[in-house]
mmCIF file of all heavy atoms in Angstrom:
data_model
loop_
_atom_site.group_PDB
_atom_site.id
_atom_site.type_symbol
_atom_site.label_atom_id
_atom_site.label_comp_id
_atom_site.label_asym_id
_atom_site.label_seq_id
_atom_site.Cartn_x
_atom_site.Cartn_y
_atom_site.Cartn_z
ATOM 1 N N THR A 32 0.840 -1.204 0.003
ATOM 2 C CA THR A 32 -0.002 -0.025 0.022
ATOM 3 C C THR A 32 0.853 1.236 0.002
ATOM 4 O O THR A 32 2.038 1.088 0.312
ATOM 5 C CB THR A 32 -0.945 0.024 1.197
ATOM 6 O OG1 THR A 32 -0.174 -0.002 2.410
ATOM 7 C CG2 THR A 32 -1.900 -1.215 1.249
ATOM 8 N N VAL A 33 0.282 2.434 -0.385
ATOM 9 C CA VAL A 33 0.984 3.669 -0.381
ATOM 10 C C VAL A 33 0.246 4.587 0.499
ATOM 11 O O VAL A 33 -1.019 4.774 0.319
ATOM 12 C CB VAL A 33 1.084 4.215 -1.812
ATOM 13 C CG1 VAL A 33 1.846 5.587 -1.789
ATOM 14 C CG2 VAL A 33 1.803 3.187 -2.728
ATOM 15 N N ASP A 34 0.910 5.185 1.472
ATOM 16 C CA ASP A 34 0.200 6.101 2.425
ATOM 17 C C ASP A 34 -0.186 7.476 1.703
ATOM 18 O O ASP A 34 0.309 7.723 0.563
ATOM 19 C CB ASP A 34 1.090 6.481 3.610
ATOM 20 C CG ASP A 34 1.328 5.263 4.434
ATOM 21 O OD1 ASP A 34 0.518 4.348 4.366
ATOM 22 O OD2 ASP A 34 2.363 5.194 5.138
ATOM 23 N N GLN A 35 -0.892 8.316 2.385
ATOM 24 C CA GLN A 35 -1.453 9.520 1.864
ATOM 25 C C GLN A 35 -0.250 10.557 1.458
ATOM 26 O O GLN A 35 -0.316 11.210 0.513
ATOM 27 C CB GLN A 35 -2.475 10.246 2.761
ATOM 28 C CG GLN A 35 -3.779 9.407 2.915
ATOM 29 C CD GLN A 35 -4.564 9.412 1.607
ATOM 30 O OE1 GLN A 35 -4.448 10.381 0.860
ATOM 31 N NE2 GLN A 35 -5.198 8.383 1.352
ATOM 32 N N ASN A 36 0.755 10.619 2.330
ATOM 33 C CA ASN A 36 1.806 11.439 2.204
ATOM 34 C C ASN A 36 2.984 10.840 1.394
ATOM 35 O O ASN A 36 4.096 11.314 1.550
ATOM 36 C CB ASN A 36 2.300 12.068 3.492
ATOM 37 C CG ASN A 36 2.811 11.066 4.446
ATOM 38 O OD1 ASN A 36 2.610 9.846 4.215
ATOM 39 N ND2 ASN A 36 3.627 11.410 5.360
ATOM 40 N N GLU A 37 2.702 9.759 0.735
ATOM 41 C CA GLU A 37 3.766 9.062 -0.022
ATOM 42 C C GLU A 37 3.431 8.955 -1.428
ATOM 43 O O GLU A 37 2.201 8.957 -1.870
ATOM 44 C CB GLU A 37 4.023 7.625 0.584
ATOM 45 C CG GLU A 37 4.583 7.571 1.922
ATOM 46 C CD GLU A 37 4.895 6.219 2.389
ATOM 47 O OE1 GLU A 37 4.153 5.285 1.920
ATOM 48 O OE2 GLU A 37 5.747 5.996 3.291
ATOM 49 N N ARG A 38 4.461 8.734 -2.283
ATOM 50 C CA ARG A 38 4.297 8.387 -3.654
ATOM 51 C C ARG A 38 5.275 7.302 -3.961
ATOM 52 O O ARG A 38 6.221 7.179 -3.268
ATOM 53 C CB ARG A 38 4.555 9.523 -4.602
ATOM 54 C CG ARG A 38 3.622 10.766 -4.467
ATOM 55 C CD ARG A 38 2.194 10.411 -4.783
ATOM 56 N NE ARG A 38 1.235 11.568 -4.705
ATOM 57 C CZ ARG A 38 0.651 11.980 -3.583
ATOM 58 N NH1 ARG A 38 0.832 11.266 -2.450
ATOM 59 N NH2 ARG A 38 -0.058 13.055 -3.574
ATOM 60 N N ALA A 39 4.993 6.431 -4.908
ATOM 61 C CA ALA A 39 5.807 5.240 -5.116
ATOM 62 C C ALA A 39 6.112 5.181 -6.708
ATOM 63 O O ALA A 39 5.424 5.620 -7.524
ATOM 64 C CB ALA A 39 5.114 3.969 -4.722
ATOM 65 N N VAL A 40 7.264 4.565 -6.932
ATOM 66 C CA VAL A 40 7.685 4.236 -8.294
ATOM 67 C C VAL A 40 8.140 2.799 -8.360
ATOM 68 O O VAL A 40 8.861 2.325 -7.539
ATOM 69 C CB VAL A 40 8.891 5.180 -8.691
ATOM 70 C CG1 VAL A 40 9.382 4.783 -10.142
ATOM 71 C CG2 VAL A 40 8.435 6.629 -8.713
ATOM 72 N N LYS A 41 7.642 2.111 -9.392
ATOM 73 C CA LYS A 41 7.967 0.697 -9.473
ATOM 74 C C LYS A 41 9.120 0.472 -10.515
ATOM 75 O O LYS A 41 9.048 1.060 -11.643
ATOM 76 C CB LYS A 41 6.774 -0.149 -9.854
ATOM 77 C CG LYS A 41 6.941 -1.623 -9.934
ATOM 78 C CD LYS A 41 5.665 -2.322 -10.528
ATOM 79 C CE LYS A 41 4.534 -2.176 -9.580
ATOM 80 N NZ LYS A 41 3.346 -2.928 -10.111
ATOM 81 N N THR A 42 10.019 -0.347 -10.235
ATOM 82 C CA THR A 42 11.051 -0.717 -11.148
ATOM 83 C C THR A 42 10.963 -2.220 -11.556
ATOM 84 O O THR A 42 10.627 -2.998 -10.774
ATOM 85 C CB THR A 42 12.476 -0.498 -10.582
ATOM 86 O OG1 THR A 42 12.605 -1.231 -9.354
ATOM 87 C CG2 THR A 42 12.715 0.916 -10.321
ATOM 88 N N VAL A 43 11.143 -2.467 -12.896
ATOM 89 C CA VAL A 43 11.050 -3.871 -13.328
ATOM 90 C C VAL A 43 12.472 -4.212 -13.757
ATOM 91 O O VAL A 43 13.089 -3.642 -14.725
ATOM 92 C CB VAL A 43 10.125 -3.967 -14.549
ATOM 93 C CG1 VAL A 43 10.064 -5.412 -15.048
ATOM 94 C CG2 VAL A 43 8.753 -3.452 -14.102
ATOM 95 N N LEU A 44 13.078 -5.243 -13.060
ATOM 96 C CA LEU A 44 14.423 -5.654 -13.308
ATOM 97 C C LEU A 44 15.404 -4.465 -13.206
ATOM 98 O O LEU A 44 16.327 -4.304 -13.999
ATOM 99 C CB LEU A 44 14.560 -6.381 -14.620
ATOM 100 C CG LEU A 44 13.736 -7.641 -14.767
ATOM 101 C CD1 LEU A 44 13.898 -8.213 -16.237
ATOM 102 C CD2 LEU A 44 14.198 -8.586 -13.724
ATOM 103 N N GLY A 45 15.143 -3.522 -12.268
ATOM 104 C CA GLY A 45 16.006 -2.360 -12.033
ATOM 105 C C GLY A 45 15.658 -1.246 -12.876
ATOM 106 O O GLY A 45 16.298 -0.109 -12.760
ATOM 107 N N ARG A 46 14.741 -1.226 -13.818
ATOM 108 C CA ARG A 46 14.456 -0.079 -14.666
ATOM 109 C C ARG A 46 13.110 0.489 -14.287
ATOM 110 O O ARG A 46 12.050 -0.198 -14.170
ATOM 111 C CB ARG A 46 14.365 -0.568 -16.167
ATOM 112 C CG ARG A 46 14.131 0.561 -17.119
ATOM 113 C CD ARG A 46 14.215 0.107 -18.557
ATOM 114 N NE ARG A 46 14.174 1.271 -19.538
ATOM 115 C CZ ARG A 46 13.079 1.766 -19.998
ATOM 116 N NH1 ARG A 46 11.883 1.257 -19.615
ATOM 117 N NH2 ARG A 46 13.139 2.704 -20.893
ATOM 118 N N ALA A 47 13.071 1.828 -13.986
ATOM 119 C CA ALA A 47 11.748 2.432 -13.577
ATOM 120 C C ALA A 47 10.869 2.473 -14.755
ATOM 121 O O ALA A 47 11.173 2.742 -15.936
ATOM 122 C CB ALA A 47 12.060 3.915 -13.113
ATOM 123 N N GLN A 48 9.542 2.253 -14.376
ATOM 124 C CA GLN A 48 8.512 2.319 -15.487
ATOM 125 C C GLN A 48 8.238 3.718 -15.870
ATOM 126 O O GLN A 48 8.027 4.643 -15.105
ATOM 127 C CB GLN A 48 7.167 1.736 -14.866
ATOM 128 C CG GLN A 48 7.245 0.202 -14.550
ATOM 129 C CD GLN A 48 5.975 -0.221 -13.993
ATOM 130 O OE1 GLN A 48 5.127 0.414 -13.517
ATOM 131 N NE2 GLN A 48 5.711 -1.477 -14.088
ATOM 132 N N ARG A 49 8.427 3.948 -17.178
ATOM 133 C CA ARG A 49 8.199 5.254 -17.747
ATOM 134 C C ARG A 49 6.741 5.552 -18.116
ATOM 135 O O ARG A 49 5.911 4.603 -18.249
ATOM 136 C CB ARG A 49 9.005 5.410 -19.056
ATOM 137 C CG ARG A 49 10.471 6.002 -18.902
ATOM 138 C CD ARG A 49 11.311 5.057 -18.123
ATOM 139 N NE ARG A 49 12.773 5.467 -18.379
ATOM 140 C CZ ARG A 49 13.796 4.995 -17.768
ATOM 141 N NH1 ARG A 49 13.588 3.978 -16.863
ATOM 142 N NH2 ARG A 49 14.979 5.419 -17.976
ATOM 143 N N THR A 50 6.411 6.779 -18.281
ATOM 144 C CA THR A 50 5.052 7.144 -18.734
ATOM 145 C C THR A 50 5.069 6.923 -20.274
ATOM 146 O O THR A 50 6.060 6.998 -20.974
ATOM 147 C CB THR A 50 4.813 8.656 -18.506
ATOM 148 O OG1 THR A 50 5.841 9.489 -18.994
ATOM 149 C CG2 THR A 50 4.744 8.915 -16.992
ATOM 150 N N PRO A 51 3.917 6.700 -20.770
ATOM 151 C CA PRO A 51 3.723 6.494 -22.202
ATOM 152 C C PRO A 51 4.149 7.763 -23.047
ATOM 153 O O PRO A 51 3.926 8.933 -22.590
ATOM 154 C CB PRO A 51 2.244 6.266 -22.470
ATOM 155 C CG PRO A 51 1.806 5.732 -21.056
ATOM 156 C CD PRO A 51 2.602 6.493 -20.121
ATOM 157 N N GLY A 52 4.792 7.587 -24.150
ATOM 158 C CA GLY A 52 5.191 8.718 -25.050
ATOM 159 C C GLY A 52 6.686 9.136 -24.794
ATOM 160 O O GLY A 52 7.116 10.069 -25.632
ATOM 161 N N GLY A 53 7.236 8.690 -23.788
ATOM 162 C CA GLY A 53 8.697 9.079 -23.518
ATOM 163 C C GLY A 53 8.910 10.446 -23.147
ATOM 164 O O GLY A 53 9.800 11.162 -23.548
ATOM 165 N N ALA A 54 7.996 11.019 -22.297
ATOM 166 C CA ALA A 54 8.089 12.378 -21.878
ATOM 167 C C ALA A 54 9.222 12.570 -20.899
ATOM 168 O O ALA A 54 9.525 11.586 -20.177
ATOM 169 C CB ALA A 54 6.755 12.840 -21.207
ATOM 170 N N THR A 55 9.878 13.676 -20.895
ATOM 171 C CA THR A 55 10.912 14.052 -19.936
ATOM 172 C C THR A 55 10.597 15.216 -19.083
ATOM 173 O O THR A 55 9.477 15.919 -19.310
ATOM 174 C CB THR A 55 12.244 14.336 -20.687
ATOM 175 O OG1 THR A 55 12.084 15.540 -21.503
ATOM 176 C CG2 THR A 55 12.558 13.143 -21.640
ATOM 177 N N THR A 56 11.459 15.599 -18.125
ATOM 178 C CA THR A 56 11.157 16.745 -17.363
ATOM 179 C C THR A 56 11.223 18.054 -18.091
ATOM 180 O O THR A 56 10.728 19.084 -17.584
ATOM 181 C CB THR A 56 12.356 16.847 -16.199
ATOM 182 O OG1 THR A 56 13.601 16.858 -16.889
ATOM 183 C CG2 THR A 56 12.256 15.704 -15.270
ATOM 184 N N LEU A 57 11.804 18.136 -19.327
ATOM 185 C CA LEU A 57 11.725 19.287 -20.102
ATOM 186 C C LEU A 57 10.331 19.613 -20.652
ATOM 187 O O LEU A 57 10.046 20.700 -21.013
ATOM 188 C CB LEU A 57 12.697 19.137 -21.312
ATOM 189 C CG LEU A 57 14.217 19.062 -21.088
ATOM 190 C CD1 LEU A 57 14.975 18.937 -22.364
ATOM 191 C CD2 LEU A 57 14.639 20.204 -20.149
ATOM 192 N N ASP A 58 9.421 18.667 -20.608
ATOM 193 C CA ASP A 58 8.063 18.873 -20.961
ATOM 194 C C ASP A 58 7.249 19.412 -19.711
ATOM 195 O O ASP A 58 5.998 19.650 -19.983
ATOM 196 C CB ASP A 58 7.424 17.524 -21.486
ATOM 197 C CG ASP A 58 8.212 17.038 -22.669
ATOM 198 O OD1 ASP A 58 8.728 17.766 -23.511
ATOM 199 O OD2 ASP A 58 8.409 15.754 -22.771
ATOM 200 N N GLU A 59 7.778 19.485 -18.518
ATOM 201 C CA GLU A 59 7.044 19.882 -17.421
ATOM 202 C C GLU A 59 7.324 21.412 -17.116
ATOM 203 O O GLU A 59 8.362 21.971 -17.567
ATOM 204 C CB GLU A 59 7.453 18.997 -16.253
ATOM 205 C CG GLU A 59 7.134 17.590 -16.317
ATOM 206 C CD GLU A 59 5.631 17.304 -16.311
ATOM 207 O OE1 GLU A 59 4.904 18.124 -15.671
ATOM 208 O OE2 GLU A 59 5.116 16.398 -17.040
ATOM 209 N N PRO A 60 6.438 22.047 -16.460
ATOM 210 C CA PRO A 60 6.678 23.460 -16.011
ATOM 211 C C PRO A 60 7.882 23.710 -15.156
ATOM 212 O O PRO A 60 8.450 24.896 -15.225
ATOM 213 C CB PRO A 60 5.443 23.877 -15.274
ATOM 214 C CG PRO A 60 4.339 22.939 -15.759
ATOM 215 C CD PRO A 60 5.097 21.623 -16.057
ATOM 216 N N ILE A 61 8.371 22.662 -14.460
ATOM 217 C CA ILE A 61 9.589 22.890 -13.593
ATOM 218 C C ILE A 61 10.707 23.180 -14.497
ATOM 219 O O ILE A 61 11.752 23.835 -13.982
ATOM 220 C CB ILE A 61 9.769 21.703 -12.705
ATOM 221 C CG1 ILE A 61 9.920 20.427 -13.546
ATOM 222 C CG2 ILE A 61 8.648 21.474 -11.730
ATOM 223 C CD1 ILE A 61 10.351 19.212 -12.719
ATOM 224 N N ALA A 62 10.776 22.788 -15.707
ATOM 225 C CA ALA A 62 11.962 23.102 -16.512
ATOM 226 C C ALA A 62 12.107 24.385 -16.943
ATOM 227 O O ALA A 62 13.166 24.862 -17.488
ATOM 228 C CB ALA A 62 11.915 22.032 -17.750
ATOM 229 N N GLU A 63 11.059 25.321 -16.760
ATOM 230 C CA GLU A 63 11.150 26.758 -17.104
ATOM 231 C C GLU A 63 12.162 27.453 -16.299
ATOM 232 O O GLU A 63 12.666 28.473 -16.685
ATOM 233 C CB GLU A 63 9.770 27.367 -17.003
ATOM 234 C CG GLU A 63 8.765 26.744 -17.950
ATOM 235 C CD GLU A 63 7.324 27.402 -17.746
ATOM 236 O OE1 GLU A 63 7.283 28.216 -16.844
ATOM 237 O OE2 GLU A 63 6.431 27.009 -18.429
ATOM 238 N N ARG A 64 12.535 26.879 -15.111
ATOM 239 C CA ARG A 64 13.464 27.594 -14.216
ATOM 240 C C ARG A 64 14.839 27.268 -14.581
ATOM 241 O O ARG A 64 15.840 27.891 -14.048
ATOM 242 C CB ARG A 64 13.203 27.113 -12.700
ATOM 243 C CG ARG A 64 11.775 27.345 -12.329
ATOM 244 C CD ARG A 64 11.445 28.841 -12.255
ATOM 245 N NE ARG A 64 10.100 28.965 -11.644
ATOM 246 C CZ ARG A 64 9.634 30.219 -11.385
ATOM 247 N NH1 ARG A 64 10.372 31.306 -11.669
ATOM 248 N NH2 ARG A 64 8.456 30.383 -10.898
ATOM 249 N N LEU A 65 15.160 26.332 -15.491
ATOM 250 C CA LEU A 65 16.497 26.005 -15.829
ATOM 251 C C LEU A 65 17.092 27.011 -16.864
ATOM 252 O O LEU A 65 16.325 27.546 -17.716
ATOM 253 C CB LEU A 65 16.546 24.584 -16.453
ATOM 254 C CG LEU A 65 16.214 23.413 -15.621
ATOM 255 C CD1 LEU A 65 16.175 22.173 -16.409
ATOM 256 C CD2 LEU A 65 17.212 23.236 -14.452
ATOM 257 N N ARG A 66 18.358 27.227 -16.636
ATOM 258 C CA ARG A 66 18.965 28.156 -17.650
ATOM 259 C C ARG A 66 19.309 27.406 -19.010
ATOM 260 O O ARG A 66 19.263 26.109 -18.960
ATOM 261 C CB ARG A 66 20.333 28.582 -17.010
ATOM 262 C CG ARG A 66 20.258 29.570 -15.885
ATOM 263 C CD ARG A 66 21.590 30.216 -15.538
ATOM 264 N NE ARG A 66 22.472 29.212 -14.941
ATOM 265 C CZ ARG A 66 22.567 29.006 -13.684
ATOM 266 N NH1 ARG A 66 21.884 29.694 -12.765
ATOM 267 N NH2 ARG A 66 23.382 28.062 -13.135
ATOM 268 N N PRO A 67 19.488 28.029 -20.059
ATOM 269 C CA PRO A 67 19.634 27.302 -21.277
ATOM 270 C C PRO A 67 20.695 26.345 -21.325
ATOM 271 O O PRO A 67 20.607 25.184 -21.848
ATOM 272 C CB PRO A 67 19.865 28.375 -22.328
ATOM 273 C CG PRO A 67 19.268 29.634 -21.700
ATOM 274 C CD PRO A 67 19.295 29.529 -20.217
#
């Protein structure tokens, strides 16, 4: 189970499960704070 203040990530044979489409952090709003 996962508690309310927790989040979990599952790895299969040591590799983390990715989201469909191959998205990266550059596609998220948090990347706007990075310098070029």
Side-chain angles (χ1 to χ4, degrees):
T32 60
V33 180
D34 294 337
Q35 290 295 326
N36 62 340
E37 290 182 339
R38 298 296 183 269
V40 175
K41 184 187 294 186
T42 58
V43 181
L44 296 177
R46 185 178 187 274
Q48 291 182 338
R49 269 67 165 174
T50 56
T55 65
T56 51
L57 297 181
D58 302 322
E59 296 293 325
I61 59 175
E63 297 176 358
R64 305 293 184 178
L65 292 175
R66 293 190 291 267

